[in-house]
Amino acid sequence: MSEHGRALSGGCLCGGVRFLLAERPDGVVTCHCGQCRRFHGHIGAYITVPRDTVTFDADVTLSWYRSSDIAERGFCGRCGSSLFWKGDGKSEIEIAAGSLDQPTGLTTLRHGYVAGKADYYEITDGLEQFSGSSELE
């Protein structure tokens, strides 16, 4: 299977969480909202896949935090790596692109929630930008 056709895998810094994706995403979407910036230490960069296509080789240290009335964020309880965002009632899960094993063969598609962008950087890559979620606009 070619690099771009191979299954993606990933995990946290310490290896307490390891996962394999049976489905490849279209690409990476960044989120500039305040919650993602705090969770990741900068912007969130995510891929989206159906939840039922994610299998875990290790998840003993996986913890979940209810970050809002509509979603939870998954992270490693041992090393602190930020890994997942899952919306209540959604069949998809967002996976932090930085947690994926390289090479991914993915590219960034667009930017979401740019209205919440921090003041210390500019978005200058020419990709499509949405003030809120790219799904809603």
Side-chain angles (χ1 to χ4, degrees):
M1 191 176 284
S2 73
E3 171 186 311
H4 297 291
R6 72 172 179 81
L8 293 173
S9 59
C12 68
L13 186 61
C14 72
V17 179
R18 292 288 309 159
F19 55 86
L20 181 66
L21 309 179
E23 185 172 306
R24 288 186 62 82
D26 293 333
V28 177
V29 175
T30 63
C31 182
H32 299 265
C33 80
Q35 284 194 7
C36 281
R37 286 187 289 107
R38 290 182 186 276
F39 188 61
H40 296 287
H42 186 43
I43 64 172
Y46 294 101
I47 61 166
T48 303
V49 296
R51 285 187 196 187
D52 62 2
T53 65
V54 180
T55 56
F56 289 89
D57 293 330
D59 65 357
V60 67
T61 61
L62 179 59
S63 294
W64 292 94
Y65 170 69
R66 176 144 299 273
S67 56
S68 72
D69 292 341
I70 63 164
E72 293 181 299
R73 293 176 183 273
F75 63 97
C76 176
R78 181 169 43 212
C79 69
S81 294
S82 52
L83 301 168
F84 307 107
W85 183 95
K86 63 179 181 179
D88 296 344
K90 302 274 186 186
S91 61
E92 298 86 20
I93 189 166
E94 313 290 325
I95 299 173
S99 70
L100 298 172
D101 297 331
Q102 296 293 303
T104 66
L106 299 173
T107 60
T108 302
L109 303 173
R110 62 189 165 276
H111 300 277
Y113 290 98
V114 297
K117 181 185 89 53
D119 61 359
Y120 60 85
Y121 66 94
E122 297 298 323
I123 304 170
T124 60
D125 57 15
L127 295 175
E128 192 171 21
Q129 298 182 26
F130 296 89
S131 61
S133 169
S134 60
E135 292 178 359
L136 303 175
E137 298 179 318

